[in-house]
Amino acid sequence: MALVVVTAGVWFGYQRLTAPSCSGALPLVVSATPEIAPAVQAAADRWRADSGAVGDTCVAVEVTASDPVDVAAVVAGQHGVALAGVGQASGTAIAPDVWVPDSSTWLLRLSSLAPGFTPANNESVARSPVVVAMPEPVATNLGWPDQQLTWTDLLQQITTGTELRTGIVEPTRDAAGLSGLLALGEAAGEAGANAQQATTAALRALATGRSALREDLIARFPRSADPASVASALGAAALSEEDVIEYNAAQPPIALAALYLEPAPMSLDYPYAVLPGADPAKAAAAAGFYSVLTGAGFRERLGDQGLRAPDGTWGAGFSAPQGAPSPAGTAPATVTPDSGGTAAGGLDPVVIDRTLATWTSVTLPAQMLAVIDVSGSMLEPVPTADNVTRADLTREAARRGLGLFDDSWALGLWIFSTELDGEQDWRELVPISPLSSRRAELEASLSEVVPKRNGNTGLYDTTLAAYLAVQDEWAAGRVNSVVIFTDGRNEDDSGLTQDELLAELAEAADPQRPIQVIYVGIGDGVSQEELESITNTTGGGVFVTEDPANIGDILLKAIALRPTTVR
């Protein structure tokens, strides 16, 4: 009897000592990119076993493996913005309390568009350098592993050679693809007067081998050691180091080499972002869980997943590719758009925006009618651009844009003011035609974009006429759009009213033949609200810069606006 009593007492004491010191369950939803999700889940399990709590309340961490593009779409929708190439969120996607995407560039792109998106913490919890993945025989032919290659070397191979088959995951939807694209763009930018030509050539070469999904791209690497198979398969792609480690772990017939090109492109840095709107209890829970992800145990879990610690070094279980440096990768990123203009790898967020816009405009075939304002106000000089006129800047932006489009595009050009062609506010300079046959004519016609002194802005009549013209020429399988450059608001009292224009557009709109109406507003005389009332009816967008000197970047953003599907 005494033994039973003692045993029962010991068991009761043990139960009291090992019982959780918290009660209840405070849910904390964490969305993590798939490659890091297992390590995050293991850390959450360990924290729960150790009675992770906020005060006296237990924290129940729910980890979901979510592609960053899906979470980005949800967050963008919540803030009423659209990320280029991302599209609408799926019905099953949700906004978490904590988001661990693969790159801070997602946070940067969102925060630069939506001022209300101000995630907290944002510190890196892992790292994976972006490398150029090549089948080992291909890499050996380029001097690997003995020779240190640069992005300029790769650019030359892409733009002047014919043997290297390159590919990329759609960079508007993939952070590693974006990192590689930015690095190539920087190398092309060093080509001086030939920078735009080099950039366009590189983008077009990459576009021939692009994939919407990383898995699809990786599947195109050679599956046989036969030389003919190697020559016809994918030869180079910007991927993460983790992608290469995972691929080689399956022991394929031909392993991939990871080339760490110089200068190092921005790494995947896996930021720990506490999304806006968290109440104090959840914010405290998020802070507590973050401390778990900075411990030595998590570093070892990262190694098992082929990931490095935030400082670029690795722990046990990490299978380093041949020639992998340690530490490796770029400095941690900042996601504050007003923090001096830096992003992951020390990049300007404007550069990210411009690069993605250029990529979209170069790689997606389209049919576009460009309509340029030639009212008298376009003669106004621009102090920030050596006092050249607004019309001069617009012509130059159009000329540069024309250089980006390949012969798969179809393009037309109008000008407009008031009573430009009799009582008609617009005049056609070049009808919508394939660039393959009328590029020279379009370039020459830009010299006819000359403002009409004392001319007003016949915006509404011109918008309707341009919309109907594109509708008549509508082409399946392309993005069909009207791009209207203007520095003012409608000033044609004898033409359509705003209500009449909206009614006409609503009646003409055909969901089976969508047309994007895009306004590029120049200067402080533009009414964004007026223009948005039109694009809300037709689809499209409004891009306004008060400083006309920035029209080049604004034009790229406008052209990059694409529907999520092309009919």
Side-chain angles (χ1 to χ4, degrees):
M1 178 64 70
L3 180 61
V4 169
V5 170
V6 170
T7 302
V10 169
W11 175 249
F12 177 76
Y14 173 78
Q15 289 287 83
R16 290 299 299 264
L17 287 172
T18 58
S21 58
C22 57
S23 60
L26 174 65
L28 183 71
V29 178
V30 178
S31 288
T33 196
E35 65 267 25
I36 200 175
V40 176
Q41 181 66 66
D45 294 342
R46 181 69 266 170
W47 197 39
R48 181 171 60 249
D50 292 341
S51 303
V54 172
D56 295 330
T57 305
C58 297
V59 178
V61 180
E62 177 186 338
V63 180
T64 58
S66 305
D67 284 331
V69 69
D70 294 330
V71 181
V74 173
V75 174
Q78 286 182 329
H79 290 269
V81 298
L83 290 183
V86 169
Q88 301 296 317
S90 66
T92 58
I94 60 169
D97 302 312
V98 176
W99 183 22
V100 186
D102 54 2
S103 171
S104 290
T105 55
W106 291 109
L107 309 181
L108 186 69
R109 291 173 65 190
L110 284 163
S111 59
S112 65
L113 284 176
F117 179 69
T118 54
N121 191 306
N122 304 318
E123 294 294 328
S124 174
V125 296
R127 181 178 295 183
S128 189
V130 171
V131 301
V132 173
M134 286 186 180
E136 286 190 353
V138 176
T140 301
N141 288 338
L142 295 180
W144 175 87
D146 300 322
Q147 183 178 345
Q148 175 63 61
L149 299 175
T150 68
W151 285 96
T152 301
D153 296 329
L154 181 64
L155 179 66
Q156 185 175 9
Q157 287 286 332
I158 292 174
T159 56
T160 63
T162 59
E163 297 181 358
L164 186 63
R165 295 177 179 268
T166 56
I168 190 172
V169 186
E170 176 60 50
T172 59
R173 302 173 63 86
D174 182 82
L178 172 58
S179 176
L181 187 65
L182 287 164
L184 268 180
E186 185 176 354
E190 297 174 356
N194 297 322
Q196 182 171 346
Q197 181 180 354
T199 299
T200 303
L203 297 189
R204 288 176 181 163
L206 289 175
T208 61
R210 67 177 168 178
S211 296
L213 299 175
R214 193 181 316 170
E215 294 79 8
D216 292 344
L217 183 78
I218 291 174
R220 288 164 40 207
F221 282 116
R223 298 294 176 174
S224 167
D226 175 71
S229 298
V230 174
S232 62
L234 181 65
L239 296 173
S240 71
E241 181 184 66
E242 183 273 335
D243 287 326
V244 174
I245 292 172
E246 181 182 20
Y247 184 89
N248 289 341
Q251 297 183 338
I254 295 182
L256 292 180
L259 276 62
Y260 298 80
L261 302 191
E262 294 293 341
M266 61 181 180
S267 302
L268 303 187
D269 61 337
Y270 301 90
Y272 185 86
V274 182
L275 298 193
D279 60 48
K282 284 199 173 181
F289 187 49
Y290 171 71
S291 67
V292 176
L293 302 186
T294 57
F298 188 65
R299 175 191 177 91
E300 303 310 314
R301 294 187 180 100
L302 290 174
D304 294 336
Q305 300 303 130
L307 295 169
R308 298 172 181 246
D311 63 0
T313 61
W314 60 70
F318 183 85
S319 181
Q322 183 176 353
S326 180
T330 48
T334 174
V335 298
T336 305
D338 59 354
S339 63
T342 59
L347 292 168
D348 188 334
V350 174
V351 174
I352 294 176
D353 221 14
R354 182 186 302 134
T355 301
L356 288 177
T358 304
W359 165 262
T360 305
S361 63
V362 167
T363 59
L364 190 58
Q367 177 162 276
M368 184 177 81
L369 176 59
V371 185
I372 300 178
D373 189 345
V374 290
S375 60
S377 56
M378 291 291 283
L379 289 168
E380 185 173 324
V382 180
T384 56
D386 296 328
N387 286 321
V388 300
T389 67
R390 293 176 174 181
D392 292 331
L393 290 172
T394 304
R395 276 194 301 269
E396 181 58 26
R399 184 172 287 107
R400 288 179 176 273
L402 186 61
L404 292 175
F405 310 146
D406 65 19
D407 287 348
S408 68
W409 278 62
L411 202 63
L413 179 62
W414 289 10
I415 55 176
F416 78 102
S417 178
T418 48
E419 298 181 346
L420 201 59
D421 189 359
E423 295 184 354
Q424 185 174 283
D425 292 340
W426 66 93
R427 185 167 78 241
E428 179 182 86
L429 299 183
V430 181
I432 297 174
S433 316
L435 270 179
S436 57
S437 61
R438 303 189 83 154
R439 185 182 294 272
E441 183 181 351
L442 273 161
E443 289 178 349
S445 68
L446 288 173
S447 63
E448 299 180 50
V449 180
V450 179
K452 175 185 176 182
R453 291 190 181 276
N454 302 319
N456 290 327
T457 308
L459 184 63
Y460 293 163
D461 285 8
T462 302
T463 295
L464 179 61
Y467 186 90
L468 295 176
V470 172
Q471 193 172 61
D472 287 343
E473 299 291 335
W474 194 89
R478 293 173 176 266
V479 176
N480 294 261
S481 61
V482 179
V483 178
I484 301 177
F485 301 79
T486 183
D487 70 343
R489 58 189 70 200
N490 186 66
E491 298 171 326
D492 184 4
D493 295 334
S494 63
L496 293 170
T497 66
Q498 185 176 15
D499 289 342
E500 289 170 341
L501 171 64
L502 297 180
E504 292 273 8
L505 289 171
E507 183 177 353
D510 180 355
Q512 299 304 312
R513 298 192 301 165
I515 296 170
Q516 302 269 94
V517 175
I518 300 167
Y519 287 100
V520 178
I522 310 161
D524 56 7
V526 176
S527 170
Q528 185 154 344
E529 182 179 356
E530 174 189 32
L531 300 181
E532 285 178 346
S533 71
I534 299 170
T535 59
N536 288 340
T537 301
T538 61
V542 178
F543 300 84
V544 177
T545 174
E546 291 192 4
D547 184 355
N550 296 328
I551 187 174
D553 287 339
I554 293 296
L555 174 59
L556 283 174
K557 287 185 181 181
I559 294 172
L561 184 65
R562 293 290 194 259
T564 55
T565 58
V566 179
R567 293 184 180 275

